Amino acid sequence: MQQQARIGLIGLGTMGAALALNIAEKGFAIAVWNRTTAVTHRFKAEAGALTDRVILTETLQDLVAAIAKPRTIILMVPAGHAVDDQIAALASLLDADDLIVDAGNANFHDTNRRNSAGLPVRFLGMGVSGGEDGARHGPSIMGGGAQADWDRIADILTAISAKAEDGSACATWMGEAGAGHFVKTVHNGIEYADMQMIAEVYGVMRDGLGMEAAAIAATFARWNDGPLKSYLIEISAAVAAASDPLTGNPMLDVILDAAGQKGTGRWTAIEAQHLSAPVPVIEAAVAARNLSARRAERQAGEAVFGPAPQAVAGLPLEALEHALIAGKILCYAQGFAMIDAAARDFGWAMPLPDIARVWRAGCIIRSSMLNDMAAALTEDARRNLILAPALADRLKASVPALRQVVAAGALNGLALPALSAGLAWFDMARTARGTANMIQGQRDFFGAHGFDRLDGADRHHGPWGAH
Ligand code: 6PG
C-alpha cells in the first residue's frame, strides 16, 4: 500500500468520484470509501493512471486508518439524513481534531445545526458548484465553518478549484457555520433566475417572433460573444441547436415543458423572506418552475381562455438581449443584497467581492459580467450593485429595452414573470416617493398601528374617527 492519504472521501457517486479524481490528479493522495463496494470497484476502473494516488477501502475503519492525522474526510452523500448518519458512524472512529467536510448541497440551517451540535470532531460545510465536469476539472468552492479548519485544507481546495481568467482560484471561505452552504444556496437561487429569464426570452423568440429553434440557437450563440457571455447562455445555444435522435426534430420541441427542482431555489426564496431581503426575480423563477409543473392546470386554463401567445410585432432581437442584460444585473443586485443581509443577521464574514470572484469560473452561473460585479463590490461592498456607476450606466442603457420587452409580453399574453419582477423591483428601488403611505394609512385605520409623518410632526394617527 501507498503512504497514508492526505485526505479521505466518502460517497463515490457521480460528484464524489469526480471530486476524488480531481484531488488525486492535483497530486494529493486520497483514500475513498463507498457504502456499496461494487461502486468502489467501478471507481477503481475509472481512476486509471491516478490509482497510484488513490487508496481504495472497504470499511469505514480502513478508510480512517488510511488517512494521515489530523484527518480530513469529505462527505459526498445525499443532503439530509444521510449526512447525519455518516457523521454518527464516523464519530467514534475519529479524533477530536479530525475534520469532516460536508460537500453536498446541504440546507445551510442543517449546517448551522451540525456546527452548534457539539460534534466530537471539527466540521466544515462546503458548497460545490459546477456539476460533474466542474467537480472533475475545477469547481467553484464556497466554504463555511471555522477559518482555521478551512486553512488546514485550503491548499487542496485551491488546487482543485476552477481558476478565473486572471488565474485566481475560485475557492473561498465565506464565514462561520453555514455561511458556505448559504452562499451556494443563493448561487442556486440566482441560477434558477438566470435560467428562467433565458427561458422567458426563448419564449418571446419562439411564440412572439415565430423563430425556429436553429435561429434561436444562433441568437444565443451570438449573445455569448457579448456582455451576456456566460455558461448558461452558452448551453442554451447548445440545447436549442440539438436535434432529437429519435424524431430528428429540435430537442426543445420534444422536451416536456415542466421543470424539475431539488429545492435550493425554494430555500433561497424562503430565506429571503426571513431576512426581509427582497429577491423577487428569484421568487418569480421558483414560482414559474412550480407553475410549469402543473401542466394539467395550464391545459385546462388554455381550454377556457384560449391560447395566449400572439405575434409580437417589431420587437428587435437587440431589445431581448438588453432585457436579459438588465434582468441579470437586477437579479444579482438582489442576490448580493440578500447575502449582505445574512452577513449582518448571522454575523458571518461574507466577503461580497470574493463571492463575485468565486462565481466567475467553475460554477453554473459563471459569466463575464461577474468581473464587473466583483469590481463594483470591491469599490463598495455595502452599496447596492445597481448604484455602482458602471452597472448603473449599463442599466440606464438596457432598462428601456427591458420595459419594451415586458410591455410586449403583457400586451401579447407572453408570460415573463422574472423579467417583469425585475422591472417592478427596479421601478420601486428608484422611486423616492413610493405608495406605502397608503398601506400605513390603512394599517392605522383598521388597527391603530400608527405611522411616521413626512413633516416629522409628533402626531402618529389619522383622523379616522369611529367606524
Ligand atoms: C451547481 C448546481 C447543482 C445542481 C442544482 C440543480 O451549482 O452545480 O446548482 O447544485 O445542478 O442543484 O438544481 P435543481 O435540480 O433544483 O434544478
Side-chain angles (χ1 to χ4, degrees):
M1 195 191 82
Q2 309 93 322
Q3 70 202 60
Q4 278 200 306
R6 166 76 195 281
I7 194 164
L9 183 140
I10 292 177
L12 292 171
T14 312
M15 291 290 286
L19 203 67
L21 293 178
N22 186 357
I23 292 171
E25 190 174 71
K26 299 302 175 312
F28 301 98
I30 180 166
V32 297
W33 178 77
N34 196 80
R35 201 161 42 97
T36 318
T37 311
V39 174
T40 313
H41 293 149
R42 202 166 57 227
F43 173 77
K44 184 179 182 195
E46 270 173 54
L50 293 171
T51 358
D52 283 356
R53 288 191 210 123
V54 178
I55 304 173
L56 302 164
T57 64
E58 299 203 354
T59 66
L60 264 189
Q61 285 79 357
D62 287 350
L63 174 80
V64 169
I67 306 166
K69 291 183 183 180
R71 307 174 188 93
T72 299
I73 298 180
I74 297 178
L75 302 186
M76 263 301 197
V77 299
H81 291 306
V83 174
D84 290 314
D85 293 349
Q86 201 58 70
I87 293 171
L90 280 169
S92 60
L93 303 174
L94 296 178
D95 298 332
D97 61 346
D98 289 341
L99 173 64
I100 295 178
V101 181
D102 175 14
N105 254 342
N107 185 317
F108 81 96
H109 285 298
D110 284 340
T111 309
N112 279 347
R113 169 176 58 78
R114 289 172 186 133
N115 265 277
S116 60
L119 293 180
V121 293
R122 318 282 318 157
F123 186 75
L124 275 183
M126 194 169 85
V128 178
S129 176
E132 181 184 3
D133 197 55
R136 178 66 185 84
H137 300 292
S140 171
I141 300 177
M142 297 147 256
Q147 189 164 15
D149 292 331
W150 170 270
D151 291 345
R152 209 161 104 178
I153 52 167
D155 59 334
I156 301 179
L157 302 175
T158 303
I160 65 168
S161 70
K163 306 296 174 295
E165 271 173 12
D166 63 6
S168 53
C170 294
T172 294
W173 176 78
M174 303 299 175
E176 304 287 330
H181 279 135
F182 182 92
V183 173
K184 175 64 183 13
T185 299
V186 177
H187 164 284
N188 280 31
I190 292 174
E191 174 183 307
Y192 277 45
D194 264 344
M195 292 166 77
Q196 174 63 27
M197 289 188 286
I198 293 171
E200 290 175 13
V201 164
Y202 154 70
V204 175
M205 287 194 270
R206 185 191 67 183
D207 300 328
L209 301 175
M211 289 168 64
E212 299 292 338
I216 294 172
T219 305
F220 281 133
R222 200 171 59 249
W223 290 350
N224 201 42
D225 288 331
L228 287 174
K229 184 174 174 48
S230 60
Y231 174 69
L232 284 170
I233 290 285
E234 180 191 325
I235 67 165
S236 301
V239 168
S243 300
D244 174 29
L246 280 183
T247 61
N249 292 330
M251 270 321 302
L252 276 175
D253 294 349
V254 299
I255 299 177
L256 187 76
D257 54 330
Q261 58 183 311
K262 291 194 216 76
T264 41
R266 183 187 313 139
W267 295 345
T268 311
I270 291 170
E271 211 48 47
Q273 295 288 352
H274 283 306
L275 290 165
S276 302
V279 294
V281 181
I282 296 172
E283 287 168 1
V286 177
R289 281 204 192 188
N290 292 333
L291 195 49
S292 81
R294 297 172 173 236
R295 190 157 173 260
E297 275 178 34
R298 290 188 287 110
Q299 286 169 329
E302 182 164 322
V304 172
F305 298 105
Q310 296 170 16
V312 172
L315 190 65
L317 289 176
E318 202 195 354
L320 292 176
E321 183 182 12
H322 277 281
L324 270 186
I325 293 170
K328 194 173 177 85
I329 296 171
L330 297 171
C331 160
Y332 281 65
Q334 294 167 15
F336 277 106
M338 175 176 172
I339 296 174
D340 191 38
R344 293 159 199 257
D345 219 62
F346 295 108
W348 288 335
M350 295 299 197
L352 295 188
D354 289 339
I355 294 173
R357 284 190 199 100
V358 156
W359 288 347
R360 286 179 305 168
C363 66
I364 304 295
I365 64 170
R366 60 186 182 262
S367 73
S368 63
M369 227 188 272
L370 277 160
N371 284 308
D372 305 338
M373 296 182 188
L377 291 164
T378 304
E379 284 165 18
D380 182 349
R382 299 264 102 92
R383 173 186 61 193
N384 191 289
L385 271 183
I386 66 167
L387 302 178
L391 293 164
D393 284 347
R394 283 204 161 184
L395 280 175
K396 286 177 193 166
S398 296
V399 163
L402 176 61
R403 224 175 265 299
Q404 192 186 0
V405 170
V406 167
L411 288 173
N412 296 284
L414 295 162
L416 305 174
L419 289 171
S420 307
L423 181 61
W425 176 82
F426 173 75
D427 279 333
M428 277 197 83
R430 53 81 62 89
T431 297
R433 172 81 171 133
T435 57
N437 46 328
M438 172 55 92
I439 293 170
Q440 288 298 78
Q442 292 164 337
R443 291 177 71 244
D444 191 54
F445 189 101
F446 64 64
H449 295 291
F451 49 73
D452 291 331
R453 299 171 58 106
L454 280 168
D455 61 11
D458 190 19
R459 188 178 179 95
H460 303 288
H461 293 286
W464 323 123
H467 49 272

